[in-house]
Amino acid sequence: MKTALLAGTHSGCGKTTLTLALLQYFRQQRHDILAFKAGPDFLDPLWHQAITGKPSYNLDTRMMGADACRAQLGQQAERAEFALIEGVMGLFDGYAGVGGAGSSLDLAREVGCPVILVIDAGGMSGTIAAVATGFKQLAEQGGVLLAGIIANRVGSEYHAGLLREALKAYDLPPLLAWMQRSDQVLAERHLGLKMPEATTIPDYSAALHVDHAALLSAFPALTFEAPAAPKQPQLAGKTIAIARDQACCFIYPANLDWLSRHGAKPVFFSPVAGDAVPEEADAIWLPGGYPELHAEALADSASWASLRALADAGMPILAECGGAMLLGKALVDAQGRHWPMAGIFPYVSRMQPRLAALGLREEAAGVKGHEFHYSTREQDEGLAPAFDVSQGDSGVRHRNVRASYVHWYFTDANQCIAGWFGADD
């Protein structure tokens, strides 16, 4: 699979916009392409999928580990000729240090692919050579090749020519493409971009100018090995009911793959639509999403009766972030309105104007995940913790119901996850 990572000099330089523009370009040129996303982000992959028509998988050397990143690429390698990985933050930004674990540079190094660098060239001409020199040298020190530059917010063809010649004069990676200055911006809300179906995906074809041959040359053909199937699927014969709708939409595609590889059959239902939990369910998964945007429909959801009955009967239930908000007594939105929820737990989830928590989390058994939310949980005193974490939300537990703000990433290396869904020890 011909693979490259699109990185930025910093957050806000136009990395996501250029990713979407390039995906559109590859599709228009009739090249089969897959997208991936560095880091634990849920929203960017949904935008990728809206263009490619294929799930976009996360790659994160800290949350998943390098071996799992390579295995994920190997698992998808038969599905496309090209792979474009959208980086996270700036190229060298990660958990700690310069180019350390979780950074785009670390991911490129571990999977062995080159980097294409997005530079915001607004108000810049010769300075692009200085910026590219620094990034090229430090990337090479980290064992990563800088294969080319894409300039964003370029004023004109003349401006692009100045940038191109400045790079050439200092024998730097070439200008592969440039995006002219535009007022086409992606709509955002408090968790990042809006969902693709909530707005219009801009057509960037008129604004993106590509050196086709140079761009394709920045994608070397790489070989990745697919992971072996589990010798003993731990969820064989079990049906997992998964909430999937506008309120429960933060689902790592790799988690669905993990359930299937371990023998589980996924079935889906919608709390927003008031669906009952499917009768054949052996366990339930309530992923995160935007329950606060659908609080009125959820307040009257007919899903709660079956969910409460199954929770009281001891069915295994895993609820993450927005999914955990559904299980409380009420949700208080940003306007202070109270909306009743399932009432399995006595807590109230209250939306806040500022970010309440952010960071990677790890359970004592080794399962890793990500916490990122704008609500807080109130009136949960005296409830048993659901997870053993050294940092972040330990959640709450009632019988076999586990709820917390953490979005867990399922991995083959940990039997603990199968236990959350009722697998035998």
Side-chain angles (χ1 to χ4, degrees):
M1 190 161 57
K2 299 173 183 176
T3 307
L5 186 148
L6 189 74
T9 54
H10 61 284
S11 293
C13 69
K15 182 172 65 265
T16 297
T17 297
L18 264 302
T19 297
L20 301 182
L22 288 174
L23 292 176
Q24 289 177 345
Y25 177 79
F26 274 89
R27 291 296 303 275
Q28 290 159 2
Q29 296 295 315
R30 301 190 181 280
H31 290 296
D32 197 10
I33 188 164
L34 275 177
F36 295 83
K37 172 61 183 175
D41 183 87
F42 286 102
L43 292 169
D44 287 349
L46 293 175
W47 283 84
H48 300 167
Q49 181 174 339
I51 294 174
T52 66
K54 301 174 183 178
S56 174
Y57 286 77
N58 297 78
L59 301 171
D60 188 322
T61 55
R62 184 165 176 252
M63 184 173 72
M64 300 166 56
D67 289 342
C69 290
R70 288 188 287 267
Q72 188 61 260
L73 287 164
Q75 187 172 324
Q76 307 305 319
E78 298 296 322
R79 297 173 56 224
E81 178 187 6
F82 288 90
L84 179 63
I85 305 169
E86 180 185 349
V88 59
M89 299 183 289
L91 175 59
F92 301 98
D93 300 321
Y95 174 65
V98 179
S103 70
S104 298
L105 185 89
D106 190 49
L107 177 59
R109 175 172 51 232
E110 292 292 352
V111 304
C113 75
V115 163
I116 299 170
L117 184 67
V118 175
I119 297 178
D120 182 349
M124 178 189 298
S125 58
T127 298
I128 196 171
V131 175
T133 296
F135 274 81
K136 176 179 180 290
Q137 291 178 353
L138 205 55
E140 288 177 348
Q141 289 177 28
V144 173
L145 172 68
L146 184 60
I149 306 296
I150 296 181
N152 190 26
R153 302 190 181 99
V154 178
S156 64
E157 176 67 55
Y158 175 75
H159 183 195
L162 295 176
L163 301 171
R164 187 181 298 109
E165 290 305 313
L167 294 170
K168 186 176 179 180
Y170 285 83
D171 196 25
L172 290 164
L175 188 68
L176 306 178
W178 57 277
M179 176 82 84
Q180 66 192 51
R181 190 179 297 116
S182 171
D183 59 0
Q184 287 184 312
V185 295
L186 297 172
E188 297 186 1
R189 63 164 59 101
H190 62 265
L191 291 181
L193 298 178
K194 286 189 176 182
M195 298 285 289
E197 62 267 26
T199 185
T200 301
I201 301 175
D203 180 359
Y204 295 108
S205 58
L208 181 68
H209 304 263
V210 177
D211 182 333
H212 184 75
L215 178 64
L216 295 193
S217 70
F219 285 77
L222 304 177
T223 300
F224 304 102
E225 293 186 8
K231 294 180 180 179
Q232 295 180 329
Q234 299 176 64
L235 295 172
K238 291 190 178 293
T239 297
I240 313 298
I242 304 170
R244 185 170 67 176
D245 57 19
Q246 306 95 314
C248 297
C249 52
F250 292 171
I251 301 174
Y252 291 124
N255 283 2
L256 297 177
D257 292 348
W258 186 93
L259 291 172
S260 296
R261 284 202 309 276
H262 281 273
K265 175 188 175 183
V267 295
F268 300 94
F269 71 103
S270 169
V272 171
D275 298 341
V277 177
E279 293 183 0
E280 66 269 34
D282 298 300
I284 301 168
W285 178 24
L286 304 173
Y290 289 117
E292 68 275 15
L293 300 181
H294 306 278
E296 184 173 3
L298 291 168
D300 297 322
S301 177
S303 301
W304 303 151
S306 61
L307 195 60
R308 281 193 297 266
L310 293 171
D312 290 340
M315 180 171 285
I317 300 175
L318 177 65
E320 302 176 330
C321 201
M325 294 166 68
L326 303 180
L327 299 185
K329 179 173 62 177
L331 186 160
V332 182
D333 65 21
Q335 290 72 43
R337 296 172 295 189
H338 288 242
W339 303 99
M341 293 288 123
I344 293 171
F345 290 103
Y347 58 72
V348 172
S349 300
R350 185 181 298 275
M351 296 303 301
Q352 305 292 328
R354 295 183 178 86
L355 187 64
L358 169 65
L360 291 174
R361 307 294 184 235
E362 184 169 358
E363 219 273 342
V367 187
K368 294 181 180 179
H370 188 252
E371 188 174 349
F372 180 36
H373 53 96
Y374 276 73
S375 72
T376 56
R377 190 174 59 240
E378 302 175 351
Q379 302 173 32
D380 62 355
E381 296 82 2
L383 297 174
F387 305 104
D388 183 3
V389 294
S390 59
Q391 184 180 13
D393 182 27
S394 59
V396 294
R397 182 171 179 177
H398 165 69
R399 296 190 178 179
N400 286 325
V401 183
R402 294 172 173 87
S404 80
Y405 274 115
V406 182
H407 300 272
W408 298 106
Y409 188 88
F410 303 167
T411 61
D412 284 312
N414 209 295
Q415 298 180 351
C416 175
I417 302 163
W420 295 345
F421 292 108
D424 298 329
D425 296 333

